[in-house]
Amino acid sequence: MKTSDFNFDLPAELLAEHPSEHRDEARLMVLDRKTQTIEHKLFKDVVDYFDEEDLFIFNNTKVFPARLYGNKEKTGAKIEVFLLRELDKETRVWDVLVDPARKIRIGNKLFFTEDESLVAEVIDNTTSRGRTLRFLFDGSYDEFRTKLKELGETPLPKYIKRAVEPEDAERYQTIYAKVEGAVAAPTAGLHFSKHLMKRLEIKGINFAEVTLHVGLGTFNPIEVEDLSKHKMESEEIIIDEKNALIINKAVESHRRVCAVGTTTMRALETSVSSNKKISAFNGWTNKFIYPPHDFGVANTMITNFHTPKSTLIMMIAAFAGRDFIMHAYEEAVKEKYKFYSYGDAMLIL
């Protein structure tokens, strides 16, 4: 399989700039792998495809307001700082991306507040845009994290050209988000409303949760034609014993097991053993799933519509078959489905 096998024409107007008015009223394309058929529904119709004791697995990661703006000492130039991960809690050292990067060198200081209560010093270069910062803040760790939240904004993907709006703080977050650590939302889960969750519950459908903290690597383009040479960035996964048991029981009972999103699927495929059992897991994954791949846990999945040549379209092509997915995407463009983070959804049976 080559990167170019996953290319298609995506008109710019199909990239969703705003979420649908109600979470569960986005459009839903339903793909049946057995019959190779496609149906067009609304997301709330997802209930109709599942029965009592079937299982939905959600990624409960929570997005933090990772995008900050500071000013460079002396010149006052405005610099965007995108927080990637905390490297050391004690010394407040973080991995970040900076923009524009050419102006930011080791030793530079960035000021985030008028009163200079939050300052960062550049202590290392990691990549062309990557830097390591040490934050200087006179207060406890909790106060420091509160200050980052106050100053940070919702990290909408760069393709969304508009300014961040107040509703983004709520809508770029799943309603079941619990464990803070993601810099991008697990977007398939954005379609679930409280009302829809209640309907699934009433029908007797079970829920399990895993945590995969989505990193910016999600958006990294593939620079090579040979897929086996692409390296994924590592992301942190946590699956506890209780949820592993719920998942294993559903698999053993031959229930419909639905992975909500590519991040959930990645977490499951990282922690599944050769005998198709999920074990409790706490660690990192750089697993890249592309065709052919033998999936060990989920037999259905929900996902959004992804951009051409992305690692995400490759994963769903591994799940549903490349030709079927490319045909479905052609249909999605023709029917004007909305793509990407705030876009419409697909259910693959």
Side-chain angles (χ1 to χ4, degrees):
M1 283 277 168
K2 300 194 292 290
T3 301
S4 52
D5 291 336
F6 299 91
N7 199 13
F8 62 95
D9 286 326
L10 177 58
E13 68 269 17
L14 295 186
L15 286 175
E17 288 264 325
H18 290 89
S20 58
E21 194 180 344
H22 300 290
R23 284 181 186 266
D24 56 15
E25 287 186 355
R27 293 166 75 194
L28 178 70
M29 181 186 276
V30 183
L31 271 58
D32 189 317
R33 292 181 292 171
K34 205 177 279 178
T35 60
Q36 296 282 291
T37 52
I38 294 174
E39 292 180 282
H40 304 287
K41 301 282 186 177
L42 287 179
F43 193 80
K44 57 189 178 186
D45 300 327
V46 79
V47 177
D48 302 336
Y49 294 89
F50 294 86
D51 294 315
E52 196 176 345
E53 297 301 323
D54 285 345
L55 179 68
F56 275 73
I57 309 171
F58 300 104
N59 180 5
N60 65 10
T61 188
K62 190 173 188 178
V63 180
F64 65 93
R67 190 174 275 127
L68 305 171
Y69 294 94
N71 296 97
K72 192 179 166 190
E73 65 177 334
K74 296 186 183 138
T75 67
K78 188 181 181 184
I79 306 293
E80 178 190 303
V81 173
F82 196 103
L83 302 172
L84 292 178
R85 64 179 68 91
E86 185 175 50
L87 299 178
D88 189 327
K89 196 172 165 174
E90 297 303 312
T91 55
R92 297 173 190 173
V93 171
W94 284 70
D95 248 347
V96 305
L97 295 177
V98 292
D99 192 19
R102 66 183 186 283
K103 297 181 176 179
I104 302 302
R105 298 190 174 87
I106 294 171
N108 286 160
K109 283 201 170 120
L110 298 171
F111 294 85
F112 295 92
T113 54
E114 294 267 321
D115 62 2
E116 300 185 8
S117 59
L118 184 67
V119 180
E121 184 182 4
V122 182
I123 58 172
D124 200 5
N125 293 334
T126 50
T127 61
S128 59
R129 285 183 58 216
R131 301 289 183 272
T132 305
L133 298 187
R134 180 188 290 116
F135 283 95
L136 312 169
F137 178 78
D138 201 10
S140 69
Y141 178 74
D142 287 345
E143 288 166 333
F144 165 63
R145 289 304 296 249
T146 301
K147 180 59 84 175
L148 287 185
K149 265 191 201 147
E150 270 170 29
L151 296 171
E153 69 175 31
T154 304
L156 291 183
K158 280 284 191 192
Y159 82 87
I160 294 181
K161 301 293 181 225
R162 64 173 173 80
V164 171
E165 293 166 12
E167 73 154 358
D168 291 313
E170 183 217 342
R171 290 302 301 273
Y172 195 63
Q173 193 82 270
T174 63
I175 60 164
Y176 46 76
K178 283 193 189 85
V179 188
E180 195 170 84
V183 299
T187 54
L190 298 179
H191 303 293
F192 286 84
S193 63
K194 287 192 171 118
H195 180 63
L196 179 57
M197 297 289 271
K198 192 40 103 186
R199 286 176 62 211
L200 290 166
E201 225 175 279
I202 289 166
K203 199 165 181 181
I205 291 159
N206 295 322
F207 302 147
E209 293 182 354
V210 299
T211 306
L212 181 144
H213 291 315
V214 191
L216 268 196
T218 292
F219 304 116
N220 279 358
I222 297 185
E223 311 270 339
V224 290
E225 181 65 352
D226 177 353
L227 296 187
S228 66
K229 294 194 164 51
H230 177 67
K231 296 279 181 285
M232 294 285 280
E233 270 189 41
S234 291
E235 293 172 315
E236 190 179 9
I237 295 176
I238 305 151
I239 302 175
D240 63 25
E241 202 68 62
K242 183 183 124 203
N243 282 288
L245 285 171
I246 295 169
I247 294 165
N248 289 333
K249 186 181 167 201
V251 172
E252 283 158 19
S253 314
H254 304 290
R255 305 307 314 176
R256 208 162 239 189
V257 177
C258 182
V260 177
T262 54
T263 59
T264 300
M265 189 67 95
R266 246 179 116 212
L268 295 172
E269 290 301 300
T270 297
S271 53
V272 69
S273 63
S274 53
N275 63 359
K276 313 254 177 186
K277 281 257 196 309
I278 286 282
S279 307
F281 186 93
N282 195 331
W284 294 77
T285 181
N286 61 356
K287 194 172 189 66
F288 176 26
I289 299 171
Y290 59 92
H293 180 85
D294 181 24
F295 289 83
V297 184
N299 49 29
T300 62
M301 80 179 287
I302 290 170
T303 184
N304 278 22
F305 288 91
H306 308 294
T307 46
K309 300 197 285 191
S310 61
T311 59
L312 308 174
I313 193 174
M314 291 167 189
M315 180 196 288
I316 62 165
F319 190 70
R322 183 208 163 264
D323 293 349
F324 191 25
I325 282 297
M326 297 314 281
H327 166 61
Y329 268 55
E330 241 174 73
E331 180 93 353
V333 170
K334 196 174 86 199
E335 295 291 330
K336 298 201 170 5
Y337 274 76
K338 290 290 191 185
F339 277 67
Y340 223 26
S341 303
Y342 273 152
D344 294 315
M346 176 185 275
L347 168 65
I348 307 171
L349 301 171

